[in-house]
Amino acid sequence: MQDRSLSRRTLIASAAVGAATVAAVTGTTVPAAAAEAARHSQTKRLKQIIAGLSLEQKVGQLFVPYFYGTSATAPSQRDIDQNLREIGVSNVAEMIQKYHLGGVIYFGWARNITDPHQLVDLSNAIQKVAKDNGTLPVVISIDQEHGPNTRVGPPATQLPGPMALGANGSVSDARTAAEIAGVELAAMGIHQNFAPVADVNVNPANPIINIRSFGSDARHVSRLTAAQVRGYERKGIATSAKHFPGHGDTGMDSHTSLPIITHTREEWERIDAPPFRAAIDAGVSSIMTAHLQVPALDPSNDPATLSHPIITGVLRGELGYDGVIVTDALNMTGVRTKYGDDRVPVLALKAGVDQLLFVPNLDLAWNAVLNAVRGGELTEARLDESILRILRMKDKVGLLDGNPYVTHRGVDRTVGISKHLATADRIAERTVTLLVNQRDFLPLSRRKQRKVLVTGQSPAFPYNADRRSVPVLAEQLTGQGFAPTTVTIDHAARETWDDANIARAVAGAQGQDVVVVLTQNVGATNRQKVLVERLVATGVPVVTVAVGNPYDIAHFSGVKASLATYGSADAELPTLARVLAGRGEPGGRLPAAIPRADNPAQALYPVGYGLSYDD
């Protein structure tokens, strides 16, 4: 195996034009001729780096795998065992050494994340391993969309998720939220965030996008997508608009099946394409593919991730995108239904993809690509095209400037600082949406409605499974001067929503002044509907709060008030408590229409609907 070390001088030389190139991409005023010259000079230097890579190193640059543990070299025995079992090495340092990785991705479930300072140490150790191995600095990625996909919890600043920002409606707030998130991620040594979600959620039954989308209006989603791209990129984070060519109109989850998008070509142009066009215009560094079929774009019905007509024909050709294209996770069923795990990465590269994310078997996939080049199915020149795009992205985020390290002092000065927290609270104030308020039942009176039962769905926080929404909301209401009690029903296990547990909640309502019921993704036959019906029947006033998608209200009647928060953790529950107490205004407006339960073709509440306490 050929193994060439990269010259630090070569890396620094390649970064000499980085500032001018970044300025050209992000919209800073630079004369066109100067920008073109800078890009030409950058390309020449990056190609020099590529020429110095062995074939094995080139293959490694394409992969962005997961790993277990909070340490690069000394994870816990549990993480060592899991790394050996799933990846075949003990730790991420061995992964980088063996496979010359171009990137890695952090996950909470992979036990990579405990706190910002630990991430500094992990990120720096990864870069040191890469340097000691004589390979390029590693681009470290994360899925920090906020909302249900939040990987780094407090003390990092917690921000409203996409649909909550859609309810807020402010382009300025969306950009500011991304700037806060971006500068904090950069301080922790993270370079690429797989956000924003550019999907237009026109299907209320969408099981996987839903509140991860900014809403159901393509123009609104486009504006907020572009705003977030600009905010992140301005703070040195490479963004990734997803999931191309659009995952917003499916009733299936591509993690477990292969969805089909039945939009006509005209519908795709009108609904799905605009946010991706807006992201490209805003300077997005990467675009993530979707594992779904779109017959209007490719009649072969290959998953979009593996479709040359979609990736090269539409995204590269028609939309003119020349940045990095990254697959969605390649362990998902949607991309594995037609081809084996050895074929998927090769076919993705042939389709025009650059980064291969989260392969289910790294050794199999890495060797499959290597052998495809050696056997002539892929050319080394084709790999060079992708590596050039990846290096441009690395250069853009400062990875090729000779100092890929971050500091603890940088975290202390940046992450979760009071200015960020105050701004996040201000942004969140305009997200809570009031849908029903019979006879001005809200806000609650601390004198007349002091005894509050909090019950219903209690989802765990996405970044801390030990914190759940019902008790946390009760804590927040206590801080607002109420005397809450709780009846918690496990949100994850369907069997816990039996009559006995519902009866516990109903019994808990006795003697209360009001019941606040958290609901999450209610359907016509969902047992949460039974809970609300039986609580309403007690005669105690009921307030429902949709902490998932906003469509729940269509399934309830007889409630005194109903709100939507589009999330259920630290970014949403404190604001909700203030709104319930009248110390905050429900300023959100629906970013997606709510259909009638008995006639989904009709809107119960249109886009833009929302009450205030002044109405």
Side-chain angles (χ1 to χ4, degrees), residues 245-260:
H247 209 317
D249 191 8
T250 173
M252 302 169 68
D253 181 354
S254 53
H255 288 83
T256 57
S257 60
L258 178 58
I260 300 176

Side-chain angles (χ1 to χ4, degrees), residues 67-83 89-97 110-112 114 118 121-126 129:
F67 64 95
Y68 291 94
T70 58
S71 168
T73 56
S76 70
Q77 188 61 51
R78 176 190 180 191
D79 293 324
I80 290 173
D81 293 343
Q82 203 150 2
N83 281 323
V89 295
S90 297
N91 52 53
V92 69
E94 293 179 12
M95 289 172 65
I96 294 169
Q97 292 161 357
R111 298 180 291 279
N112 302 141
T114 56
Q118 170 264 323
D121 292 335
L122 177 58
S123 299
N124 285 343
I126 286 171
V129 169

Side-chain angles (χ1 to χ4, degrees), residues 446-465:
R446 281 172 289 277
R447 183 170 59 85
K448 297 179 180 179
Q449 295 155 319
R450 190 167 183 272
K451 294 185 293 183
V452 181
L453 172 66
V454 183
T455 189
Q457 286 282 69
S458 190
F461 285 20
Y463 39 82
N464 186 347

Side-chain angles (χ1 to χ4, degrees), residues 13 36 58 62 79 164 247 262 307 315 333 352 395 444 493 511 521 555:
E36 182 60 30
K58 289 180 178 181
L62 308 175
D79 293 324
H247 209 317
T262 59
S307 168
L315 182 52
T333 300
D395 200 17
L444 300 176
N521 306 345
H555 300 282

